[in-house]
């Protein structure tokens, strides 16, 4: 199996290599527990370049079924601390973290790139302050990875 990674230009021209994408489920990939339209297709494409892990407390109890068949690892977590520990185990600086909730702040603080989603379920103000990039839609967040010049434009000095 080939190495999976994505090189992104951030921080004033510095190239950073990312190996993992960590995503919250509830409110980030879903609305009321149901996977948002277009997410499955984006994740399938991104999985060719990054290992993808979904970490969730699974508030609605539907996450496993909704993500069944996707090329992702799936982990039930209880706290933001558990998310942060998992990101650290993946290499921290090599991780892109995406979320919308207050329990995503710890993982975002350990990730090399943090993207906050202000989606239909809202976002924690604390998370928005901790993020490197803030977007209004999960598809916009995933497209920053697929189309890295968009990210470069947002994070340039």
């Amino acid at each position: 199996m080939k190495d999976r990674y994505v090189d992104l230009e951030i921080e004033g021209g510095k190239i950073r290599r990312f190996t993992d994408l960590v995503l919250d489920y509830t409110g980030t990939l879903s609305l009321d527990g149901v996977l948002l339209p277009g997410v499955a297709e984006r994740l399938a494409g991104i999985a060719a370049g990054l290992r993808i892990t979904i970490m969730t407390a699974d508030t609605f109890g539907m996450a496993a079924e909704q993500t069944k068949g996707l090329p992702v690892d799936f982990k039930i977590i209880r706290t933001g601390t558990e998310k942060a520990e998992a990101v650290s185990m993946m290499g921290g600086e090599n991780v892109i973290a995406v979320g919308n909730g207050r329990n995503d702040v710890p993982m975002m603080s350990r990730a090399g790139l943090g993207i906050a989603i202000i989606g239909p379920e809202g976002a924690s103000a604390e998370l928005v302050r901790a993020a490197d990039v803030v977007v209004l839609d999960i598809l916009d967040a995933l497209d920053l990875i697929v189309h890295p010049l968009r990210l470069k434009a947002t994070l340039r000095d």
Side-chain angles (χ1 to χ4, degrees):
M1 183 172 162
K2 79 169 193 75
D3 289 337
R4 290 188 285 177
Y5 61 86
V6 171
D7 289 332
L8 299 174
E9 186 176 336
I10 59 174
E11 300 171 3
K14 181 178 176 186
I15 302 292
R16 297 273 303 274
R17 178 159 288 176
F18 294 96
T19 57
D20 291 89
L21 173 61
V22 174
L23 300 147
D24 171 58
Y25 183 78
T26 304
T28 300
L29 297 177
S30 69
L31 174 62
D32 297 331
V34 177
L35 196 66
L36 290 165
V39 169
E41 295 81 7
R42 295 291 200 302
L43 293 179
I46 290 170
L50 294 171
R51 287 183 301 267
I52 301 173
T53 303
I54 296 172
M55 290 193 275
T56 182
D58 200 12
T59 304
F60 292 92
M62 300 165 58
E65 181 62 31
Q66 289 287 306
T67 59
K68 189 175 184 177
L70 291 178
V72 302
D73 292 325
F74 183 83
K75 295 182 184 195
I76 296 289
I77 55 85
R78 301 288 174 241
T79 67
T81 300
E82 288 180 49
K83 286 184 177 185
E85 289 169 356
V87 166
S88 291
M89 294 291 289
M90 293 174 193
E93 288 296 312
N94 302 318
V95 176
I96 301 168
V98 182
N100 80 314
R102 192 165 68 100
N103 71 341
D104 297 320
V105 172
M107 78 168 176
M108 207 160 283
S109 67
R110 297 210 185 152
L113 178 65
I115 303 173
I117 306 294
I118 305 176
E121 294 184 11
S124 160
E126 188 177 344
L127 180 74
V128 170
R129 287 189 297 276
D132 297 300
V133 178
V134 179
V135 296
L136 297 177
D137 180 272
I138 183 59
L139 300 180
D140 292 337
L142 297 174
D143 284 348
L144 290 174
I145 298 164
V146 175
H147 305 284
L149 290 179
R150 296 176 188 174
L151 187 62
K152 175 183 176 179
T154 300
L155 293 177
R156 74 173 48 140
D157 289 335

